[in-house]
Amino acid sequence: MLKKHPKGLPFLFFTEMWERFGYYLILGIFVLYMIDPKATGGLAFTDKNADDIFGTYIALTYLTPFLGGFLADRVLGYFKAIYLGGFLMGLGYIGLSISNLTAFYFSMALIIIGNGFFKPSISTLVGNLYSNEEYKANKDAGYNIFYMGINIGAFICNIIAAFMRNQYGWGAAFITAGIGMFLGLIIFYFGRKHLAEANVIKPKQEGDVGIIKVITMVFVPAIIAGAIGWLIPGNIFKSDTTDAFIFACIPVIIFYVSLYIRANSEDKRPLGALLAIFAVGMMFWAVFKQNGTALTRWANYYTDRQVTGTTENALNAIYLLDQKEYVDKEVQAYDNQFQAVKDDNGEPVKEMGKEVYFKNITPEQKAILETSSNKKVSLINTELFQSVNPGWVIILTPLIVFFFAFMRRKGKEPTTPSKIVLGLFISALSCLVMVAAVYASQNGTVKVSPWWLVGTYGVVTIGELCLSPMGLSIVSKLSPPRLTALMMGGFFLSISIGNKLSGVLASMWYDYENKANFFIVNIVLLLIATLLGLSILKKLNAVMKEKGIN
């Protein structure tokens, strides 16, 4: 299969695999680390605050590619941007191992800045490799293969994270993420000769915006707007961080709209098509990125993670199990939020010595524990569920690539915009699985099988494979050559806003008495995005046809 692809693709594949190993290792344990009590090495944040910080963090990691992509396009070139970004991210991952709030926030800043340089640059290199007519027709498949590399890293990282956390603690898990990042940079270094033709600094053309102008008219205003959002009395969007983020995005969004307005006749329609795709894609990411918040919470509190017998012995031998001890009467301290004690602001307070896992076990399980001499149970680590989605990606990617290749040979392959709209609809169906899970759990009063999460991730993965790698591909196809990395930054900006919205949505979990309604809201958002996509699909396909691409 790789004979139809450039020689440089495997190096980008493995570079991204190890970079995403570190990135998703952090995401898999980020919320768990923040809500873990200080006695066991965590930060003891409330669930709501952890959701807010998580949403802001992943949003900013996809916001900084706006400027990083611009600098890679015009100043640094993609090689230097990847080296710089990867180095900063590696330092940030290792810095999280320092159990200190200052180090925690500073390390996050390093990761956010580093990702801004790394992510748009390596994604652009993939597209540039397919500029040659020999490989041009396989660009969609190339991005699917590249995307599988991302998810191999995301799959194995959570297994390693669980092992390191159980055996050595939180700090060791964070250091492992840093090692993965630096390993990716080493692989990239050895693949340079196969990537040289894709590493170009785009010459400035008439009408282009200079870097000084971008900094003074976009980046600085974004910082000022963010500060205003942070400082305004009260909250418009539920928290100071959300207000600051939304305000900061306004100058950046205006910049991208101005690119469209000022574009010449040749570039205007492709740029307009990309902006439309960015808009509908935001709603997908707002739902999909709840895998680190709402679905992690479901795995942590509502999923029966207990294992026994041979499975328990096998997983315990490789340190992939979490031991929890049942204490009589401890569950009486918790209400439906699992945290009944509130502070002066009405926020839940972490109670030391309480184990929320036992809040909603069945009466039969409770009776067994109360009469047993051994009150400890072995649970699958919550972060291991973060490997289910990338596991599905690894399994399904070859099937999806084969299916679309088969359709191409028949002359019936859907256009890239059509794949994106299809992905939105399929993703909406995944939320129906979680609605059924809520009813199976009697609205969270009893734990349910982990197969509900496996099924949910399986359906959403099909939608993801139709949408996410196709988004990268369509940016590469439609962007004016001199603006490719900058438009990659715009694509990641749309992901950024969606990621932040995911944190906002997840923080509303406890506002819904019936948890099924939480997932129904997600279904509605994705169906609205699907309808919007259908309404512009004809125009998007027309633009693709004008450019002579599928």
Side-chain angles (χ1 to χ4, degrees):
M1 182 171 67
L2 287 177
K3 290 181 180 180
K4 298 179 180 180
H5 298 276
K7 291 182 180 179
L9 184 63
F11 291 96
L12 295 181
F13 176 97
F14 286 108
T15 298
E16 183 72 347
M17 185 190 82
W18 284 109
E19 184 272 328
R20 291 290 100 174
F21 168 89
Y23 182 81
Y24 283 108
L25 189 154
I26 299 300
L27 292 191
I29 63 176
F30 204 54
V31 168
L32 300 173
Y33 172 62
M34 285 190 284
I35 67 174
D36 199 45
K38 291 183 178 179
T40 49
L43 298 177
F45 290 170
T46 64
D47 285 355
K48 183 177 180 180
N49 287 342
D51 287 347
D52 184 48
I53 292 171
F54 179 88
T56 302
Y57 167 71
I58 59 173
L60 290 175
T61 61
Y62 283 93
L63 178 61
T64 49
F66 156 70
L67 186 59
F70 191 95
L71 290 171
D73 261 342
R74 304 287 180 77
V75 181
L76 296 173
Y78 305 123
F79 280 13
K80 290 181 181 178
I82 287 171
Y83 288 136
L84 175 61
F87 181 73
L88 292 176
M89 292 172 75
L91 288 182
Y93 295 150
I94 293 172
L96 288 173
S97 65
I98 303 172
S99 184
N100 175 278
L101 274 181
T102 301
F104 176 72
Y105 289 116
F106 181 73
S107 297
M108 281 198 297
L110 289 177
I111 299 167
I112 289 164
I113 295 169
N115 195 69
F117 288 107
F118 188 97
K119 192 63 179 170
S121 300
I122 197 165
S123 299
T124 302
L125 280 179
V126 176
N128 287 353
L129 285 176
Y130 288 84
S131 299
N132 192 310
E133 286 297 327
E134 180 184 357
Y135 304 115
K136 196 172 185 179
N138 295 312
K139 181 177 282 191
D140 278 5
Y143 272 108
N144 271 120
I145 294 169
F146 177 71
Y147 199 70
M148 186 168 68
I150 293 173
N151 284 276
I152 290 175
F155 176 78
I156 62 176
C157 73
N158 295 295
I159 299 171
I160 302 299
F163 171 82
M164 297 302 292
R165 178 163 77 95
N166 291 336
Q167 185 70 346
Y168 304 108
W170 293 109
F174 292 130
I175 290 172
T176 304
I179 293 172
M181 179 68 257
F182 288 122
L183 181 58
L185 288 180
I186 292 171
I187 293 171
F188 181 78
Y189 176 82
F190 285 108
R192 289 178 306 162
K193 66 179 182 179
H194 299 294
L195 301 167
E197 63 179 352
N199 181 42
V200 292
I201 296 180
K202 307 291 171 50
K204 185 176 180 180
Q205 300 184 16
E206 186 178 351
D208 286 354
V209 181
I211 184 64
I212 300 300
K213 192 172 183 180
V214 169
I215 291 174
T216 56
M217 298 188 66
V218 182
F219 197 64
V220 172
I223 294 174
I224 295 172
I228 293 172
W230 180 275
L231 295 172
I232 56 174
N235 300 129
I236 299 176
F237 302 103
K238 284 191 168 283
S239 73
D240 288 334
T241 56
T242 304
D243 289 353
F245 177 80
I246 297 298
F247 275 58
C249 283
I250 293 173
V252 186
I253 294 172
I254 292 173
F255 170 75
Y256 276 99
V257 173
S258 72
L259 282 180
Y260 167 75
I261 293 172
R262 293 184 293 102
N264 57 40
S265 57
E266 182 182 353
D267 293 341
K268 187 175 287 287
R269 281 170 62 80
L271 287 177
L274 287 175
L275 293 180
I277 290 170
F278 295 167
V280 298
M282 282 191 295
M283 296 190 190
F284 168 79
W285 296 109
V287 175
F288 180 76
K289 282 300 182 180
Q290 290 176 34
N291 57 356
T293 49
L295 293 186
T296 293
R297 182 176 298 119
W298 186 269
N300 202 34
Y301 296 154
Y302 302 93
T303 298
D304 185 357
R305 295 183 283 123
Q306 185 176 357
V307 291
T308 58
T310 304
T311 303
E312 178 183 12
N313 294 334
L315 292 177
N316 195 48
I318 54 176
Y319 302 98
L320 292 183
L321 291 181
D322 196 9
Q323 299 287 334
K324 299 292 184 183
E325 183 174 4
Y326 178 81
V327 180
D328 292 344
K329 300 181 180 180
E330 68 173 30
V331 296
Q332 297 177 12
Y334 290 87
D335 61 7
N336 289 333
Q337 296 188 19
F338 303 112
Q339 300 157 2
V341 179
K342 312 287 184 178
D343 62 19
D344 294 337
N345 297 318
E347 296 291 339
V349 175
K350 294 287 178 187
E351 293 187 80
M352 301 303 293
K354 303 297 183 182
E355 179 44 62
V356 300
Y357 179 80
F358 300 108
K359 168 67 174 75
N360 54 351
I361 58 175
T362 64
E364 293 78 12
Q365 290 173 317
K366 183 178 178 182
I368 291 172
L369 286 168
E370 288 179 344
T371 57
S372 173
S373 58
N374 180 16
K375 297 184 183 298
K376 287 186 177 182
V377 297
S378 296
L379 309 177
I380 298 173
N381 280 69
T382 304
E383 60 263 40
L384 290 177
F385 287 89
Q386 289 293 303
S387 285
V388 176
N389 168 240
W392 275 120
V393 171
I394 295 166
I395 294 169
L396 294 174
T397 293
L399 300 178
I400 297 291
V401 171
F402 174 80
F403 173 75
F404 286 130
F406 173 77
M407 296 294 286
R408 189 185 312 132
R409 289 194 296 271
K410 296 287 186 180
K412 297 180 180 180
E413 182 185 15
T415 63
T416 304
S418 299
K419 293 175 186 176
I420 291 173
V421 175
L422 177 64
L424 288 168
F425 178 72
I426 293 173
S427 299
L429 298 180
S430 73
C431 297
L432 279 177
V433 182
M434 286 309 301
V435 171
V438 172
Y439 284 107
S441 73
Q442 301 173 37
N443 197 27
T445 57
V446 295
K447 296 186 187 298
V448 293
S449 167
W451 289 107
W452 288 107
L453 277 176
V454 173
T456 297
Y457 280 127
V459 178
V460 80
T461 298
I462 298 174
E464 177 192 2
L465 288 173
C466 290
L467 189 147
S468 186
M470 294 307 100
L472 293 170
S473 180
I474 202 170
V475 171
S476 177
K477 289 176 177 179
L478 288 181
S479 296
R482 69 186 187 281
L483 297 176
T484 304
L486 187 59
M487 295 312 294
M488 279 291 180
F491 175 70
F492 292 124
L493 170 66
S494 70
I495 297 177
S496 173
I497 296 173
N499 286 347
K500 183 55 189 171
L501 291 176
S502 77
V504 174
L505 290 171
S507 68
M508 297 178 183
W509 176 265
Y510 293 124
D511 295 339
Y512 293 92
E513 183 175 348
N514 184 349
K515 303 308 180 188
N517 292 335
F518 175 88
F519 294 106
I520 290 172
V521 168
N522 288 339
I523 294 172
V524 171
L525 286 174
L526 288 173
L527 289 179
I528 290 173
T530 301
L531 292 174
L532 289 174
L534 285 172
S535 70
I536 60 174
L537 184 58
K538 188 175 181 180
K539 290 183 178 180
L540 291 175
N541 286 333
V543 173
M544 299 286 285
K545 189 174 181 179
E546 286 175 9
K547 299 283 286 186
I549 50 181
N550 182 28

